Amino acid sequence: MTLVAGLLLARLVLPQVHAQAVPGIDSFHVGENIYVRALTVDPQRQSLWVGTSVGALEVDLASHAVKNSFTREHGLANEYVFAIGVAPDSSVWFGTNAGGASRWRDGEWTTYFPMHGLADYWVYAFDFDDDEKIWIATWSGANLVHDGRMDDTESWDLFTVENTGGGLPSDWVYGLAEASDGSIWLATEGGLAHYEDGVWQNWDHADGLGADYALVEKSIQFKSDPAARSGHHARQKQERQLEEVSVAYNPNYVVGLAIDPDGVVWAGTWGAGLSRFDGDTWQTFTIRDGLPANHVFMLEIDPGGRLWIGTSEGLALCDGRKFIRYTEQHGLVSNTVFSMAFAPDGSAWVGSYGGVTGFPPGF
């Protein structure tokens, strides 16, 4: 049974169960109060790339030894790494907080700033396709670079709310996922967007994205109001008619994004749970359905087509019938899960607050 078919059969509730003990778990700590925002497996180098809030590491998949450590001293534009991507030419890309995008290839560094065509210094995601198109998600829109010509400013396209006529619902873009037909999905703070051959579509809470506030109000974990600290978030609340909400909740704010083998799009939201979109119908899961938490930071599809969900209260596997929850009791460094990557041998790596946890093949 496919994941989608299982979900359709279990529409009302996906119960949560705790995973059994997992033998052979490995972990390493990167330091107290340090975030592991990005993980990427590089099969050619047999490496795990680790992006943290204090720099980047290259870890050998076999020995788990650190092969490289990068900070600004080594050429990285900024130590706070939000995204890592491995391009078809084997170059490694780092999206940073306030430092632009850095490319590492054959030991040499190149950094791209807005002066080169990059939309913003804050870079959240990369997507590389086979015909050398490069998508870059930033806090000021999304870039599309044609034919891999990074050093040709004429090859850079920029998509914003303004120049797409609102097709891109927000300039704050947090995630990218390429569909099997080559079209691109974008996770933004104003909803989910889709782009194909010059045509934009988007969906927000009014269309079915995210759970209603009344459904999740009592389970909101973060009580501080982001709008009280950020003019941008305050503006987003006003534009989305959320002025009366004084906690960390925005059903339009898509943080995690993934497309499963059936073409179903999954969107993890900021306090409004996990939403599923099959192109016609929306369905949202919250803690009432077995989700560990309503803040979803990460979504990944494993090689077997299963959906993994990183939340503020642990990691969950959705097998189509239930949510299987993994926590610190199973070996996670922290229950706050930001990233995940899968190695060719079937092992998995989970990035969280404070470190990385490795699950053995077949777990």
mmCIF file of all heavy atoms in Angstrom, residues 94-115:
data_model
loop_
_atom_site.group_PDB
_atom_site.id
_atom_site.type_symbol
_atom_site.label_atom_id
_atom_site.label_comp_id
_atom_site.label_asym_id
_atom_site.label_seq_id
_atom_site.Cartn_x
_atom_site.Cartn_y
_atom_site.Cartn_z
ATOM 1 N N PHE A 94 26.739 26.509 0.384
ATOM 2 C CA PHE A 94 26.342 26.822 1.746
ATOM 3 C C PHE A 94 25.511 28.104 1.738
ATOM 4 O O PHE A 94 25.976 29.156 1.271
ATOM 5 C CB PHE A 94 27.576 27.025 2.632
ATOM 6 C CG PHE A 94 28.501 25.836 2.668
ATOM 7 C CD1 PHE A 94 29.499 25.676 1.709
ATOM 8 C CD2 PHE A 94 28.363 24.871 3.652
ATOM 9 C CE1 PHE A 94 30.343 24.581 1.741
ATOM 10 C CE2 PHE A 94 29.206 23.765 3.682
ATOM 11 C CZ PHE A 94 30.197 23.616 2.724
ATOM 12 N N GLY A 95 24.284 28.010 2.231
ATOM 13 C CA GLY A 95 23.449 29.198 2.397
ATOM 14 C C GLY A 95 23.587 29.694 3.823
ATOM 15 O O GLY A 95 23.427 28.922 4.773
ATOM 16 N N THR A 96 23.867 30.967 3.987
ATOM 17 C CA THR A 96 24.200 31.476 5.306
ATOM 18 C C THR A 96 23.262 32.579 5.772
ATOM 19 O O THR A 96 22.487 33.131 5.002
ATOM 20 C CB THR A 96 25.642 32.032 5.332
ATOM 21 O OG1 THR A 96 25.692 33.291 4.627
ATOM 22 C CG2 THR A 96 26.623 31.058 4.705
ATOM 23 N N ASN A 97 23.375 32.879 7.028
ATOM 24 C CA ASN A 97 22.660 33.967 7.666
ATOM 25 C C ASN A 97 23.483 35.242 7.499
ATOM 26 O O ASN A 97 24.541 35.393 8.109
ATOM 27 C CB ASN A 97 22.467 33.631 9.156
ATOM 28 C CG ASN A 97 21.720 34.696 9.921
ATOM 29 O OD1 ASN A 97 21.625 35.839 9.507
ATOM 30 N ND2 ASN A 97 21.186 34.333 11.073
ATOM 31 N N ALA A 98 23.020 36.123 6.632
ATOM 32 C CA ALA A 98 23.633 37.449 6.421
ATOM 33 C C ALA A 98 24.968 37.404 5.691
ATOM 34 O O ALA A 98 25.653 38.428 5.586
ATOM 35 C CB ALA A 98 23.806 38.193 7.748
ATOM 36 N N GLY A 99 25.325 36.224 5.123
ATOM 37 C CA GLY A 99 26.597 36.136 4.422
ATOM 38 C C GLY A 99 26.491 35.719 2.974
ATOM 39 O O GLY A 99 27.502 35.520 2.310
ATOM 40 N N GLY A 100 25.272 35.562 2.466
ATOM 41 C CA GLY A 100 25.106 35.154 1.080
ATOM 42 C C GLY A 100 25.288 33.660 0.890
ATOM 43 O O GLY A 100 25.125 32.861 1.819
ATOM 44 N N ALA A 101 25.637 33.276 -0.323
ATOM 45 C CA ALA A 101 25.837 31.867 -0.680
ATOM 46 C C ALA A 101 27.306 31.632 -0.989
ATOM 47 O O ALA A 101 27.911 32.367 -1.777
ATOM 48 C CB ALA A 101 24.986 31.494 -1.892
ATOM 49 N N SER A 102 27.880 30.607 -0.366
ATOM 50 C CA SER A 102 29.278 30.252 -0.601
ATOM 51 C C SER A 102 29.365 28.922 -1.331
ATOM 52 O O SER A 102 28.682 27.965 -0.958
ATOM 53 C CB SER A 102 30.034 30.156 0.722
ATOM 54 O OG SER A 102 30.145 31.413 1.354
ATOM 55 N N ARG A 103 30.221 28.874 -2.353
ATOM 56 C CA ARG A 103 30.443 27.632 -3.105
ATOM 57 C C ARG A 103 31.854 27.137 -2.845
ATOM 58 O O ARG A 103 32.824 27.892 -2.960
ATOM 59 C CB ARG A 103 30.242 27.871 -4.601
ATOM 60 C CG ARG A 103 30.454 26.614 -5.451
ATOM 61 C CD ARG A 103 30.314 26.924 -6.933
ATOM 62 N NE ARG A 103 31.386 27.798 -7.408
ATOM 63 C CZ ARG A 103 31.428 28.316 -8.642
ATOM 64 N NH1 ARG A 103 30.458 28.061 -9.509
ATOM 65 N NH2 ARG A 103 32.429 29.099 -8.996
ATOM 66 N N TRP A 104 31.969 25.854 -2.508
ATOM 67 C CA TRP A 104 33.273 25.216 -2.281
ATOM 68 C C TRP A 104 33.478 24.147 -3.331
ATOM 69 O O TRP A 104 32.685 23.214 -3.443
ATOM 70 C CB TRP A 104 33.310 24.613 -0.877
ATOM 71 C CG TRP A 104 34.622 24.037 -0.467
ATOM 72 C CD1 TRP A 104 35.732 24.709 -0.048
ATOM 73 C CD2 TRP A 104 34.971 22.646 -0.406
ATOM 74 N NE1 TRP A 104 36.742 23.840 0.270
ATOM 75 C CE2 TRP A 104 36.301 22.562 0.060
ATOM 76 C CE3 TRP A 104 34.283 21.464 -0.708
ATOM 77 C CZ2 TRP A 104 36.955 21.350 0.236
ATOM 78 C CZ3 TRP A 104 34.934 20.241 -0.536
ATOM 79 C CH2 TRP A 104 36.250 20.201 -0.058
ATOM 80 N N ARG A 105 34.526 24.286 -4.123
ATOM 81 C CA ARG A 105 34.803 23.320 -5.183
ATOM 82 C C ARG A 105 36.303 23.153 -5.345
ATOM 83 O O ARG A 105 37.032 24.136 -5.530
ATOM 84 C CB ARG A 105 34.178 23.767 -6.510
ATOM 85 C CG ARG A 105 34.370 22.767 -7.639
ATOM 86 C CD ARG A 105 33.515 23.085 -8.847
ATOM 87 N NE ARG A 105 33.793 24.397 -9.395
ATOM 88 C CZ ARG A 105 33.086 24.962 -10.377
ATOM 89 N NH1 ARG A 105 32.046 24.325 -10.883
ATOM 90 N NH2 ARG A 105 33.412 26.158 -10.835
ATOM 91 N N ASP A 106 36.750 21.909 -5.235
ATOM 92 C CA ASP A 106 38.177 21.590 -5.368
ATOM 93 C C ASP A 106 39.032 22.434 -4.425
ATOM 94 O O ASP A 106 40.139 22.876 -4.776
ATOM 95 C CB ASP A 106 38.641 21.799 -6.815
ATOM 96 C CG ASP A 106 37.901 20.909 -7.793
ATOM 97 O OD1 ASP A 106 37.546 19.780 -7.410
ATOM 98 O OD2 ASP A 106 37.677 21.346 -8.937
ATOM 99 N N GLY A 107 38.483 22.668 -3.226
ATOM 100 C CA GLY A 107 39.236 23.413 -2.217
ATOM 101 C C GLY A 107 39.199 24.911 -2.371
ATOM 102 O O GLY A 107 39.795 25.629 -1.558
ATOM 103 N N GLU A 108 38.501 25.412 -3.392
ATOM 104 C CA GLU A 108 38.449 26.847 -3.636
ATOM 105 C C GLU A 108 37.054 27.390 -3.278
ATOM 106 O O GLU A 108 36.039 26.726 -3.502
ATOM 107 C CB GLU A 108 38.754 27.159 -5.102
ATOM 108 C CG GLU A 108 40.142 26.728 -5.550
ATOM 109 C CD GLU A 108 41.238 27.527 -4.869
ATOM 110 O OE1 GLU A 108 41.009 28.723 -4.590
ATOM 111 O OE2 GLU A 108 42.316 26.952 -4.605
ATOM 112 N N TRP A 109 37.032 28.619 -2.774
ATOM 113 C CA TRP A 109 35.777 29.248 -2.351
ATOM 114 C C TRP A 109 35.372 30.376 -3.291
ATOM 115 O O TRP A 109 36.219 31.142 -3.766
ATOM 116 C CB TRP A 109 35.935 29.858 -0.950
ATOM 117 C CG TRP A 109 35.979 28.856 0.152
ATOM 118 C CD1 TRP A 109 37.105 28.310 0.716
ATOM 119 C CD2 TRP A 109 34.862 28.272 0.830
ATOM 120 N NE1 TRP A 109 36.757 27.424 1.697
ATOM 121 C CE2 TRP A 109 35.389 27.385 1.795
ATOM 122 C CE3 TRP A 109 33.487 28.419 0.709
ATOM 123 C CZ2 TRP A 109 34.568 26.641 2.645
ATOM 124 C CZ3 TRP A 109 32.672 27.680 1.563
ATOM 125 C CH2 TRP A 109 33.215 26.805 2.511
ATOM 126 N N THR A 110 34.063 30.463 -3.563
ATOM 127 C CA THR A 110 33.467 31.599 -4.257
ATOM 128 C C THR A 110 32.212 31.988 -3.490
ATOM 129 O O THR A 110 31.415 31.115 -3.140
ATOM 130 C CB THR A 110 33.079 31.269 -5.710
ATOM 131 O OG1 THR A 110 34.204 30.720 -6.390
ATOM 132 C CG2 THR A 110 32.593 32.519 -6.433
ATOM 133 N N THR A 111 32.055 33.266 -3.223
ATOM 134 C CA THR A 111 30.877 33.728 -2.482
ATOM 135 C C THR A 111 30.049 34.646 -3.365
ATOM 136 O O THR A 111 30.586 35.488 -4.089
ATOM 137 C CB THR A 111 31.289 34.463 -1.194
ATOM 138 O OG1 THR A 111 31.982 33.540 -0.347
ATOM 139 C CG2 THR A 111 30.073 34.979 -0.451
ATOM 140 N N TYR A 112 28.727 34.476 -3.287
ATOM 141 C CA TYR A 112 27.798 35.258 -4.098
ATOM 142 C C TYR A 112 26.940 36.131 -3.193
ATOM 143 O O TYR A 112 26.337 35.655 -2.228
ATOM 144 C CB TYR A 112 26.920 34.332 -4.949
ATOM 145 C CG TYR A 112 27.748 33.547 -5.942
ATOM 146 C CD1 TYR A 112 28.249 32.290 -5.619
ATOM 147 C CD2 TYR A 112 28.069 34.084 -7.186
ATOM 148 C CE1 TYR A 112 29.029 31.578 -6.521
ATOM 149 C CE2 TYR A 112 28.844 33.382 -8.092
ATOM 150 C CZ TYR A 112 29.327 32.140 -7.753
ATOM 151 O OH TYR A 112 30.113 31.445 -8.639
ATOM 152 N N PHE A 113 26.911 37.423 -3.551
ATOM 153 C CA PHE A 113 26.168 38.436 -2.815
ATOM 154 C C PHE A 113 25.103 39.031 -3.742
ATOM 155 O O PHE A 113 25.070 38.739 -4.947
ATOM 156 C CB PHE A 113 27.100 39.548 -2.338
ATOM 157 C CG PHE A 113 28.160 39.113 -1.368
ATOM 158 C CD1 PHE A 113 29.467 39.563 -1.519
ATOM 159 C CD2 PHE A 113 27.856 38.279 -0.303
ATOM 160 C CE1 PHE A 113 30.451 39.195 -0.616
ATOM 161 C CE2 PHE A 113 28.831 37.904 0.611
ATOM 162 C CZ PHE A 113 30.139 38.361 0.451
ATOM 163 N N PRO A 114 24.244 39.900 -3.224
ATOM 164 C CA PRO A 114 23.279 40.575 -4.099
ATOM 165 C C PRO A 114 23.918 41.298 -5.285
ATOM 166 O O PRO A 114 23.303 41.401 -6.344
ATOM 167 C CB PRO A 114 22.580 41.536 -3.140
ATOM 168 C CG PRO A 114 22.564 40.786 -1.846
ATOM 169 C CD PRO A 114 23.910 40.121 -1.793
ATOM 170 N N MET A 115 25.129 41.774 -5.141
ATOM 171 C CA MET A 115 25.788 42.452 -6.262
ATOM 172 C C MET A 115 26.019 41.513 -7.440
ATOM 173 O O MET A 115 26.180 41.948 -8.577
ATOM 174 C CB MET A 115 27.130 43.048 -5.805
ATOM 175 C CG MET A 115 28.200 42.026 -5.521
ATOM 176 S SD MET A 115 29.805 42.750 -5.044
ATOM 177 C CE MET A 115 29.419 43.415 -3.434
#
